[in-house]
Amino acid sequence: MSESTTLSIEALDARVRSILGRAGLNPVQAGALARVIVAGERDACKSHGIYRIEGALRTVKAGKVNPLAQPRLVPDQAAAIVRVDAQHGFANAAFELGLPALVERARRTGLAALVINDCTHFSALWPEVEAVTEHGLAALVMCPSYATVAPTGGIRPLLGTNPMAFGWPRAGQPPYVFDFATSVAARGEIELHRRAGKQLPEGWAIDVDGAPTTDPEAALAGAMLPFGGHKGSAISTMIELLAGIMIGDLTSPEVLDVLGSTTLAPVHGELILAFSPQAFAAGRSGDPFARAEGLFEAIVGQGARLPSQRRFAARAVSASQGITLTEAEVAQLDRLEALGLDAIT
Amino acid sequence: MSESTTLSIEALDARVRSILGRAGLNPVQAGALARVIVAGERDACKSHGIYRIEGALRTVKAGKVNPLAQPRLVPDQAAAIVRVDAQHGFANAAFELGLPALVERARRTGLAALVINDCTHFSALWPEVEAVTEHGLAALVMCPSYATVAPTGGIRPLLGTNPMAFGWPRAGQPPYVFDFATSVAARGEIELHRRAGKQLPEGWAIDVDGAPTTDPEAALAGAMLPFGGHKGSAISTMIELLAGIMIGDLTSPEVLDVLGSTTLAPVHGELILAFSPQAFAAGRSGDPFARAEGLFEAIVGQGARLPSQRRFAARAVSASQGITLTEAEVAQLDRLEALGLDAIT
């Protein structure tokens, strides 16, 4: 006999907004956070679902994010750059404020960037990538994290897990989207191995002396490794440069200095590039969206998969059947709603 | 006793221009090609040096590139996009024409793209990345290739080796630059293993049935693999979308259809993004160029290397001591100069 509870997407959204409001977030912050948390649950992406509420509240309680922040658009400094000052709130609210301006700009100039400064990262980048593609634009998004990854050939944490995400719009169906860490594995996966008493696969991490290790404890004390060897290390360095230094925001080592912990959501900036395929393809033969479908068909036709398909399948199920939470998950929501920030120890 | 010949950079440049002119290239095409060929030799990057002349001329002789092309700037369609029609000549001449416009645009708008259409790719992307950084801009460059790489989980060639290159300007020294194929290895490396009768490392390729192989013959008949598993495969797909389809130019499978061979230089388009760190950092604290030096010091300080340092060391030697060619290399240049396209069998 199941004790699970099924809620509509809208009902879960209202529930999460209420919890976040009770914990002191203003409606702008609570609304934006609730949307990505519910998107995670909706897509059966549990690691970015309601599980994340506690982390967000822990960061609020630690005073490292402003729950009352009202992000603001910074007056234009350059024609292809839209900048939002997150006012030390969560990135999600700042993104929502900047998105219409980014879309308008990219349509007009063909290519535009949204820079988010002084924000606290929360959740994945795919909700933002998908939001851009809904306007018929392609998106490339990146941000630093905190220093937990050694550059290839190095021995100490310096780079972040620095995620990179990309999206391409598709008519009548979810976009082509990838979103991944530029480290071999996420830090959370190493933590899960530690708790389970399991060895890590080879190639994930090095110990404090820079020697390869499969011991999770040694890995957490040492450093993670970039994906794809020196190539992934170079991409991760590019992300520090473009989405940290270039936009006048923190690098991953600086984030760690500021926070003093990898258990709080990182404070930094974010870079979102939006491309107008219509503008880029202007005057050339062929419709870019139709041609892209041909490429996707060729990928799927040989048995390879497009990224994010598992999420999209779960999304379709959630849309028709709602989102099902376990008894423990509902109890956790009840507890958070009753106690607010006092639930965070 | 060495029979080698040492030439100044200028003398080798004149020699290569003369050879290309003798083979029918106009001064615009010959000049641009000579510059990248000499840059390859200067940087001891032999795989992109005079060795490449024959490949360029083979493509000319096959009628797949126009040696008399005069690239032209296409009238503006969008504020952040500069477009050059290569007129079916080499990409290098089109890039040289578009660079000043790209630089002016990126300085003005903060972020701009140079699209090159209908060009034949020749040599590496790092000469272009470095040329952008000389103007104080960061650069991200990508282009498709021909279908030789299977998407992760697939069994047949579909993606190209799709290179991606990035550069960040550094005062008083060569830029931070990486330039790599998004396949595990370059196709030429597999060919070299075949000629040497050596097995390939594991993870480079699959055979015609999609099974992993270390046999170079089986790999050449099958497909290469992307670097970094599904992440590299996704990046390579992004390059097909942005630098092929979006800019209204060929994808890697289309290139192969057009050329019918992987021994000719690929015909396609190219996407060059230029970022103005000054514009992106405006109004924020800290000088982005100075902060980037701190990041580079932290990388080098823990024993890791910055990419391209071997090339830059060779460059310094070439600047003071000239470029040394073997007797066979000089004989090859003599033969090409004497015979022109008749040297190509």
Side-chain angles (χ1 to χ4, degrees):
Chain A
M1 212 180 92
S2 168
E3 298 291 335
S4 64
T5 301
T6 299
L7 296 135
S8 69
I9 291 171
E10 296 70 25
L12 182 59
D13 185 73
R15 186 84 208 271
V16 174
R17 264 189 291 124
S18 167
I19 290 169
L20 296 172
R22 169 80 178 77
L25 276 69
N26 68 15
V28 169
Q29 298 291 329
L33 243 59
R35 275 183 278 282
V36 298
I37 289 167
V38 172
E41 288 294 330
R42 178 200 64 195
D43 287 8
C45 188
K46 299 299 281 189
S47 63
H48 290 93
I50 56 172
Y51 153 83
R52 290 265 171 162
I53 297 175
E54 252 192 77
L57 298 190
R58 193 181 311 117
T59 308
V60 171
K61 193 165 183 173
K64 299 294 188 183
V65 63
N66 178 5
L68 302 175
Q70 294 282 359
R72 66 176 192 94
L73 276 163
V74 177
D76 271 2
Q77 295 152 322
I81 305 174
V82 173
R83 189 188 296 272
V84 174
D85 176 350
Q87 299 273 357
H88 299 281
F90 288 102
N92 317 77
F95 173 81
E96 290 189 356
L97 176 68
L99 178 62
L102 174 68
V103 169
E104 180 276 328
R105 198 65 61 87
R107 284 190 181 145
R108 186 147 54 84
T109 58
L111 168 68
L114 171 59
V115 170
I116 301 176
N117 282 126
D118 294 334
C119 65
T120 287
H121 182 67
F122 181 77
S123 187
L125 296 179
W126 57 257
E128 300 179 7
V129 161
E130 292 192 16
V132 177
T133 64
E134 278 170 22
H135 298 274
L137 304 170
L140 178 61
V141 185
M142 52 188 91
C143 66
S145 180
Y146 13 57
T148 53
V149 177
T152 296
I155 55 170
R156 280 191 297 277
L158 177 70
L159 306 169
T161 51
N162 298 3
M164 177 161 108
F166 171 77
W168 178 271
R170 302 183 69 185
Q173 61 183 310
Y176 174 90
V177 172
F178 68 74
D179 176 3
F180 53 70
T182 52
S183 49
V184 175
R187 196 170 166 87
E189 293 179 73
I190 296 181
E191 179 60 29
L192 287 177
H193 277 77
R194 188 189 67 76
R195 291 188 199 173
K198 284 166 59 181
Q199 293 294 103
L200 305 174
E202 290 192 18
W204 280 26
I206 53 178
D207 65 20
V208 286
D209 300 316
T213 184
T214 57
D215 172 31
E217 296 277 7
L220 289 169
M224 295 193 284
L225 291 173
F227 92 100
H230 73 278
K231 296 180 182 181
S233 187
I235 291 173
S236 184
T237 303
M238 175 185 80
I239 294 173
E240 299 286 343
L241 289 167
L242 292 183
I245 288 169
M246 185 178 79
I247 63 170
D249 225 304
L250 302 182
T251 61
S252 294
E254 292 167 342
V255 171
L256 193 54
D257 285 348
V258 167
L259 287 187
S261 161
T262 60
T263 65
L264 301 171
V267 179
H268 54 37
E270 189 180 328
L271 178 65
I272 297 119
L273 303 180
F275 304 78
S276 164
Q278 274 183 313
F280 274 94
R284 303 287 302 174
S285 67
D287 171 58
F289 300 110
R291 291 182 64 210
E293 292 306 313
L295 179 68
F296 301 142
E297 278 165 29
I299 291 172
V300 174
Q302 64 168 275
R305 288 170 50 166
L306 299 180
S308 305
Q309 295 304 306
R310 197 184 53 78
R311 278 199 301 109
F312 297 143
R315 183 179 303 184
V317 172
S318 297
S320 63
Q321 300 174 18
I323 294 167
T324 300
L325 300 180
T326 65
E327 199 177 353
E329 287 171 331
V330 172
Q332 165 74 341
L333 292 182
D334 290 342
R335 187 169 158 272
L336 287 168
E337 183 139 34
L339 297 178
L341 286 186
D342 292 336
I344 310 301
T345 48
Chain B
M1 211 179 92
S2 167
E3 298 290 336
S4 65
T5 300
T6 299
L7 295 133
S8 70
I9 290 171
E10 295 72 24
L12 181 59
D13 184 73
R15 186 80 207 274
V16 174
R17 265 189 290 122
S18 166
I19 289 168
L20 296 173
R22 169 79 179 76
L25 275 68
N26 68 15
V28 169
Q29 298 291 328
L33 243 59
R35 275 183 279 281
V36 297
I37 290 167
V38 172
E41 288 293 332
R42 178 200 65 195
D43 287 7
C45 188
K46 299 299 281 188
S47 62
H48 290 92
I50 56 172
Y51 153 83
R52 290 267 172 159
I53 297 174
E54 253 193 75
L57 298 190
R58 192 180 313 118
T59 308
V60 171
K61 193 165 183 174
K64 298 294 188 183
V65 62
N66 178 6
L68 302 175
Q70 294 282 359
R72 66 177 192 92
L73 276 163
V74 176
D76 272 0
Q77 296 151 320
I81 304 174
V82 173
R83 189 188 296 271
V84 174
D85 175 350
Q87 299 274 356
H88 298 281
F90 287 101
N92 317 77
F95 174 80
E96 290 189 357
L97 176 68
L99 178 63
L102 174 68
V103 169
E104 181 275 329
R105 198 65 59 88
R107 284 189 180 145
R108 186 146 54 83
T109 58
L111 167 67
L114 170 60
V115 171
I116 301 177
N117 282 127
D118 295 333
C119 65
T120 287
H121 182 66
F122 181 78
S123 187
L125 296 178
W126 57 257
E128 299 179 6
V129 161
E130 292 192 16
V132 176
T133 64
E134 278 169 23
H135 298 274
L137 303 171
L140 178 61
V141 185
M142 52 188 91
C143 65
S145 179
Y146 13 56
T148 53
V149 177
T152 296
I155 56 169
R156 280 191 298 277
L158 176 71
L159 307 169
T161 51
N162 298 2
M164 179 161 108
F166 171 77
W168 178 271
R170 304 183 67 185
Q173 60 183 312
Y176 174 89
V177 172
F178 69 73
D179 175 3
F180 53 70
T182 52
S183 50
V184 176
R187 195 169 167 88
E189 293 178 72
I190 296 181
E191 178 60 28
L192 288 176
H193 277 77
R194 189 188 65 78
R195 290 189 201 174
K198 284 166 61 180
Q199 292 296 101
L200 304 175
E202 288 190 20
W204 280 26
I206 53 177
D207 65 19
V208 285
D209 300 317
T213 184
T214 58
D215 172 31
E217 295 276 8
L220 290 168
M224 297 194 282
L225 291 173
F227 91 101
H230 73 278
K231 296 181 182 181
S233 187
I235 291 173
S236 185
T237 304
M238 175 185 80
I239 294 173
E240 298 286 344
L241 289 167
L242 292 183
I245 288 169
M246 184 178 78
I247 64 170
D249 225 305
L250 302 182
T251 60
S252 294
E254 292 167 343
V255 171
L256 193 55
D257 285 346
V258 167
L259 287 186
S261 161
T262 60
T263 64
L264 301 172
V267 179
H268 54 37
E270 189 180 329
L271 178 64
I272 297 120
L273 303 180
F275 304 80
S276 164
Q278 273 183 313
F280 274 94
R284 304 286 302 173
S285 67
D287 171 58
F289 301 111
R291 291 182 64 211
E293 293 306 313
L295 179 68
F296 300 142
E297 279 165 28
I299 291 172
V300 173
Q302 63 168 274
R305 287 170 51 166
L306 300 180
S308 307
Q309 295 303 306
R310 198 185 51 79
R311 278 200 300 107
F312 297 143
R315 183 179 303 185
V317 171
S318 297
S320 64
Q321 300 174 19
I323 294 167
T324 299
L325 301 180
T326 65
E327 199 176 352
E329 287 172 331
V330 173
Q332 166 75 340
L333 292 182
D334 290 344
R335 187 170 156 273
L336 287 167
E337 182 138 35
L339 298 178
L341 286 186
D342 293 335
I344 310 300
T345 48

